[in-house]
Amino acid sequence: MTNNDNLFKHQEELWSDWRWQIAHRITTTEELHNWINVTEREEQSIQKSVGKYRWSITPYYASLMDKNDEMCPIRRQAVPSLEEFEYFPNAEVDPVGDQLYRKTNRVVHKYPDRVMMLVTQSCSVYCRHCTRKYHTTDLSGSYFGDSETLSFEEDFDYIASQPAIRDVLLSGGDPLMYSDQKLEFIISRLRQIPHVEIIRIGTRFPVLLPQRITPELCAMLEKYHPIWLNTHFNHPKEITEEAAKACDQLFRHGIPVQNQTVLLKDLNDDLPTMRALLTGLLKIRVRPYYLYHCDNVTGVSHFATTIEKGRELMKGLLGHMTGFAVPQYIITTKLGKIPLWEESLHLNNDGYSIENYEGKTAELIF
Ligand code: SF4
């Protein structure tokens, strides 16, 4: 083997190492210039973000960006934009009501039989459209305050004290930011609670840094079945060989992978893109199950399309594709997730009122 071969092998090994990728995330304009031709607007946006919004991009995700096209769907999801600072009168930092239903530092209990544990506020890439932008990306935000390092005991105790809870979703931030050991600590403790039947992990790692899905991680998760994994592909460009391999590894360890997509204006809200995304997911055996209407979140509202456009798009999917390729079109409200079906939508003067599974109504004002 020549010196060049050795060097190449070493570089390949580094590229496949998720810890190396995390340590080498792009966080400055200078570093970003190594990947794309950063436009003046992007530079201004990055400058404006200082002290307000975090941003970071894994080298892997950056490698998917179009060098010259500012409208590249990968770029738009990862590079800050001036629109994040625009004022939208009805935008809120927490339109989905996480804070209303928070029972402990990390546990959000919104539905009778399931809870979400916000285990961290960190992510590998800070997606510009994040619903929990206040918690993850906003430097003045965070649901935790300075308490991310608090013990998990209070959270486990709460779940153990509520026999109706049969399903725990680990979310964040991204739970896979934690080491396998820390994740195993959390999952093994949940497994000791007899009424917890299933554990779900909400993570964007298969999309943003598929190298994180290692054989060691999968072998650890397999010990605690039933484990489900929900991920978040938004565009066909994200369905790469590496992403497919990550999902395949999870399947081989008995972990089903499902996808939730956020409907994003001028990024995936046209029929050809959405069809390519959904059929692409089937090819890697990932089942699409939710298409989220983009929440009216402060700093995110510019990504929202109209409900009419979303419903029109759904008409172009239903019946035109394999049944299970078509996700449910959903909006998350303070009353929980509500499917945007004809029956639950009522047009009124300001927008829509929608009805949840209990017949309670929420107002949608955009
Ligand atoms: S990885 Fe998930 S939680 Fe983190 S910024 Fe992206 S969408 Fe938000």
Side-chain angles (χ1 to χ4, degrees), residues 1 12 14 24 27 53 70 75 79 87 99 109 112 118 174 185 193 198 208 254 270 276 279 285 292 313-314 340:
M1 207 180 246
E12 264 196 339
L14 291 180
H24 289 82
T27 56
Y53 289 136
E70 197 185 343
R75 241 163 115 151
V79 179
Y87 172 70
Q99 294 281 30
H109 195 174
L118 298 174
D174 200 313
F185 160 72
I193 303 173
I198 64 167
L208 305 173
D270 63 283
T279 51
R285 288 175 286 144
Y292 281 117
L313 194 70
M314 287 301 291
L340 290 167

Short mmCIF file of all heavy atoms in Angstrom, two decimals, residues 1 12 14 24 27 53 70 75 79 87 99 109 112 118 174 185 193 198 208 254 270 276 279 285 292 313-314 340:
data_model
loop_
_atom_site.label_atom_id
_atom_site.label_comp_id
_atom_site.label_asym_id
_atom_site.label_seq_id
_atom_site.Cartn_x
_atom_site.Cartn_y
_atom_site.Cartn_z
N MET A 1 0.83 -1.21 0.00
CA MET A 1 0.00 0.00 0.00
C MET A 1 0.87 1.26 0.00
O MET A 1 1.82 1.37 0.77
CB MET A 1 -0.88 -0.02 1.25
CG MET A 1 -2.16 0.74 1.08
SD MET A 1 -3.14 0.68 2.59
CE MET A 1 -4.54 -0.26 2.06
N GLU A 12 -11.03 8.22 4.63
CA GLU A 12 -12.32 7.50 4.57
C GLU A 12 -12.79 7.09 5.96
O GLU A 12 -13.97 7.17 6.28
CB GLU A 12 -12.15 6.23 3.73
CG GLU A 12 -12.56 6.42 2.31
CD GLU A 12 -12.77 5.10 1.59
OE1 GLU A 12 -12.23 4.08 2.05
OE2 GLU A 12 -13.45 5.12 0.57
N LEU A 14 -12.03 8.55 8.77
CA LEU A 14 -12.49 9.74 9.50
C LEU A 14 -13.89 10.12 9.06
O LEU A 14 -14.77 10.41 9.87
CB LEU A 14 -11.53 10.92 9.27
CG LEU A 14 -10.14 10.79 9.88
CD1 LEU A 14 -9.32 12.03 9.56
CD2 LEU A 14 -10.23 10.63 11.40
N HIS A 24 -16.16 18.13 13.59
CA HIS A 24 -15.76 18.99 12.46
C HIS A 24 -16.96 19.67 11.80
O HIS A 24 -16.93 19.97 10.61
CB HIS A 24 -14.96 18.17 11.44
CG HIS A 24 -13.60 17.83 11.96
ND1 HIS A 24 -13.40 16.76 12.80
CD2 HIS A 24 -12.40 18.45 11.83
CE1 HIS A 24 -12.13 16.71 13.14
NE2 HIS A 24 -11.50 17.72 12.58
N THR A 27 -19.33 25.75 11.35
CA THR A 27 -20.01 26.73 12.20
C THR A 27 -19.58 28.17 11.90
O THR A 27 -19.97 29.09 12.62
CB THR A 27 -19.74 26.45 13.71
OG1 THR A 27 -18.32 26.42 13.89
CG2 THR A 27 -20.32 25.14 14.18
N TYR A 53 -29.48 32.82 16.88
CA TYR A 53 -29.76 31.44 16.50
C TYR A 53 -28.46 30.64 16.29
O TYR A 53 -27.55 31.11 15.62
CB TYR A 53 -30.55 31.39 15.19
CG TYR A 53 -31.98 31.84 15.30
CD1 TYR A 53 -32.53 32.68 14.33
CD2 TYR A 53 -32.81 31.42 16.34
CE1 TYR A 53 -33.85 33.11 14.40
CE2 TYR A 53 -34.12 31.84 16.42
CZ TYR A 53 -34.64 32.68 15.45
OH TYR A 53 -35.95 33.09 15.53
N GLU A 70 -28.40 28.86 -4.21
CA GLU A 70 -28.85 29.25 -2.87
C GLU A 70 -30.18 28.59 -2.51
O GLU A 70 -30.51 28.45 -1.33
CB GLU A 70 -28.98 30.78 -2.82
CG GLU A 70 -29.03 31.33 -1.42
CD GLU A 70 -29.28 32.84 -1.37
OE1 GLU A 70 -29.10 33.52 -2.40
OE2 GLU A 70 -29.66 33.32 -0.31
N ARG A 75 -29.30 23.20 1.34
CA ARG A 75 -28.81 24.49 1.82
C ARG A 75 -29.88 25.23 2.60
O ARG A 75 -29.62 25.78 3.67
CB ARG A 75 -28.43 25.33 0.59
CG ARG A 75 -26.97 25.72 0.55
CD ARG A 75 -26.62 26.15 -0.82
NE ARG A 75 -26.25 27.56 -0.86
CZ ARG A 75 -25.39 28.08 -1.74
NH1 ARG A 75 -24.82 27.32 -2.64
NH2 ARG A 75 -25.12 29.37 -1.74
N VAL A 79 -28.54 26.33 6.18
CA VAL A 79 -27.84 27.62 6.27
C VAL A 79 -28.85 28.68 6.74
O VAL A 79 -29.95 28.76 6.20
CB VAL A 79 -27.25 28.01 4.88
CG1 VAL A 79 -26.55 29.36 4.96
CG2 VAL A 79 -26.29 26.93 4.39
N TYR A 87 -41.04 39.30 10.71
CA TYR A 87 -42.10 39.29 11.71
C TYR A 87 -43.38 38.68 11.11
O TYR A 87 -43.85 39.10 10.05
CB TYR A 87 -42.36 40.72 12.19
CG TYR A 87 -43.56 40.84 13.07
CD1 TYR A 87 -43.56 40.30 14.36
CD2 TYR A 87 -44.73 41.48 12.62
CE1 TYR A 87 -44.69 40.40 15.18
CE2 TYR A 87 -45.84 41.58 13.43
CZ TYR A 87 -45.82 41.04 14.70
OH TYR A 87 -46.93 41.13 15.49
N GLN A 99 -44.80 23.32 26.36
CA GLN A 99 -44.66 23.88 27.71
C GLN A 99 -45.91 23.65 28.55
O GLN A 99 -45.82 23.44 29.76
CB GLN A 99 -44.38 25.39 27.63
CG GLN A 99 -43.06 25.74 27.00
CD GLN A 99 -41.90 25.57 28.00
OE1 GLN A 99 -41.95 24.74 28.90
NE2 GLN A 99 -40.87 26.35 27.83
N HIS A 109 -46.50 15.40 28.62
CA HIS A 109 -47.57 14.40 28.66
C HIS A 109 -48.84 15.03 28.08
O HIS A 109 -49.63 15.62 28.79
CB HIS A 109 -47.81 13.96 30.12
CG HIS A 109 -48.62 12.72 30.22
ND1 HIS A 109 -48.85 12.08 31.42
CD2 HIS A 109 -49.26 11.97 29.28
CE1 HIS A 109 -49.60 11.01 31.21
NE2 HIS A 109 -49.87 10.93 29.93
N PRO A 112 -53.24 10.67 26.61
CA PRO A 112 -53.36 9.82 27.80
C PRO A 112 -52.34 8.69 27.88
O PRO A 112 -51.81 8.41 28.95
CB PRO A 112 -54.78 9.24 27.68
CG PRO A 112 -55.49 10.09 26.69
CD PRO A 112 -54.47 10.75 25.82
N LEU A 118 -38.04 14.97 26.29
CA LEU A 118 -37.10 15.84 25.57
C LEU A 118 -35.74 15.66 26.24
O LEU A 118 -35.42 16.34 27.19
CB LEU A 118 -37.56 17.29 25.64
CG LEU A 118 -38.92 17.57 25.00
CD1 LEU A 118 -39.36 19.00 25.26
CD2 LEU A 118 -38.86 17.31 23.49
N ASP A 174 -31.87 16.08 19.44
CA ASP A 174 -31.75 14.76 18.85
C ASP A 174 -31.11 13.80 19.85
O ASP A 174 -29.94 13.94 20.20
CB ASP A 174 -30.92 14.82 17.56
CG ASP A 174 -31.18 13.61 16.69
OD1 ASP A 174 -31.17 12.49 17.25
OD2 ASP A 174 -31.41 13.77 15.48
N PHE A 185 -28.41 3.93 29.18
CA PHE A 185 -28.85 4.23 30.55
C PHE A 185 -30.34 4.63 30.53
O PHE A 185 -31.16 4.11 31.30
CB PHE A 185 -27.98 5.34 31.15
CG PHE A 185 -28.62 6.03 32.32
CD1 PHE A 185 -28.74 5.38 33.54
CD2 PHE A 185 -29.15 7.32 32.19
CE1 PHE A 185 -29.37 6.00 34.62
CE2 PHE A 185 -29.77 7.95 33.26
CZ PHE A 185 -29.88 7.28 34.48
N ILE A 193 -39.70 -0.18 33.64
CA ILE A 193 -41.06 0.24 34.05
C ILE A 193 -42.05 -0.69 33.35
O ILE A 193 -42.16 -0.67 32.11
CB ILE A 193 -41.31 1.73 33.67
CG1 ILE A 193 -40.24 2.62 34.32
CG2 ILE A 193 -42.71 2.15 34.07
CD1 ILE A 193 -40.27 4.09 33.89
N ILE A 198 -43.79 0.26 24.50
CA ILE A 198 -42.89 0.55 23.37
C ILE A 198 -42.07 1.82 23.63
O ILE A 198 -42.52 2.72 24.35
CB ILE A 198 -43.62 0.67 22.00
CG1 ILE A 198 -44.59 1.86 21.99
CG2 ILE A 198 -44.35 -0.59 21.63
CD1 ILE A 198 -45.08 2.20 20.59
N LEU A 208 -29.08 13.42 8.52
CA LEU A 208 -28.07 14.47 8.70
C LEU A 208 -26.66 13.91 8.92
O LEU A 208 -25.68 14.58 8.66
CB LEU A 208 -28.44 15.35 9.90
CG LEU A 208 -29.84 15.98 9.86
CD1 LEU A 208 -30.14 16.68 11.18
CD2 LEU A 208 -29.95 16.97 8.71
N GLY A 254 -34.07 -5.34 13.63
CA GLY A 254 -35.49 -5.41 14.01
C GLY A 254 -36.11 -4.08 14.38
O GLY A 254 -37.17 -4.04 15.01
N ASP A 270 -44.17 20.71 -4.11
CA ASP A 270 -44.67 20.45 -5.47
C ASP A 270 -44.76 18.95 -5.67
O ASP A 270 -44.03 18.17 -5.03
CB ASP A 270 -43.73 21.08 -6.52
CG ASP A 270 -42.35 20.45 -6.46
OD1 ASP A 270 -41.58 20.78 -5.54
OD2 ASP A 270 -42.05 19.60 -7.31
N ALA A 276 -41.31 11.95 -5.66
CA ALA A 276 -39.94 11.37 -5.70
C ALA A 276 -39.48 11.04 -4.29
O ALA A 276 -38.83 10.01 -4.05
CB ALA A 276 -38.98 12.33 -6.37
N THR A 279 -41.65 7.84 -3.03
CA THR A 279 -41.27 6.58 -3.69
C THR A 279 -39.82 6.23 -3.36
O THR A 279 -39.47 5.07 -3.21
CB THR A 279 -41.48 6.65 -5.22
OG1 THR A 279 -40.82 7.82 -5.71
CG2 THR A 279 -42.94 6.70 -5.61
N ARG A 285 -37.09 1.15 1.96
CA ARG A 285 -37.98 0.43 2.90
C ARG A 285 -38.40 1.26 4.12
O ARG A 285 -38.75 0.73 5.16
CB ARG A 285 -37.34 -0.89 3.36
CG ARG A 285 -37.32 -1.93 2.26
CD ARG A 285 -36.57 -3.16 2.69
NE ARG A 285 -35.16 -2.94 2.71
CZ ARG A 285 -34.31 -3.46 3.59
NH1 ARG A 285 -34.77 -4.23 4.55
NH2 ARG A 285 -33.02 -3.22 3.52
N TYR A 292 -46.30 16.74 7.84
CA TYR A 292 -46.69 17.80 8.77
C TYR A 292 -46.89 19.12 8.05
O TYR A 292 -46.00 19.53 7.29
CB TYR A 292 -45.59 18.05 9.81
CG TYR A 292 -45.54 17.04 10.91
CD1 TYR A 292 -44.42 16.24 11.08
CD2 TYR A 292 -46.58 16.92 11.82
CE1 TYR A 292 -44.35 15.32 12.11
CE2 TYR A 292 -46.52 16.00 12.85
CZ TYR A 292 -45.40 15.21 12.99
OH TYR A 292 -45.34 14.31 14.01
N LEU A 313 -52.00 19.03 -2.80
CA LEU A 313 -50.87 18.11 -2.99
C LEU A 313 -51.30 16.69 -2.62
O LEU A 313 -50.98 15.72 -3.32
CB LEU A 313 -49.72 18.57 -2.10
CG LEU A 313 -48.35 17.98 -2.36
CD1 LEU A 313 -47.78 18.49 -3.67
CD2 LEU A 313 -47.39 18.38 -1.23
N MET A 314 -52.02 16.56 -1.52
CA MET A 314 -52.47 15.24 -1.08
C MET A 314 -53.35 14.59 -2.15
O MET A 314 -53.30 13.38 -2.35
CB MET A 314 -53.25 15.35 0.24
CG MET A 314 -52.39 15.61 1.45
SD MET A 314 -51.13 14.35 1.74
CE MET A 314 -52.13 12.95 2.21
N LEU A 340 -55.57 16.78 8.65
CA LEU A 340 -56.25 17.86 7.93
C LEU A 340 -57.24 17.28 6.92
O LEU A 340 -57.16 17.53 5.71
CB LEU A 340 -55.20 18.78 7.28
CG LEU A 340 -54.44 19.60 8.33
CD1 LEU A 340 -53.21 20.27 7.74
CD2 LEU A 340 -55.34 20.65 8.98
#
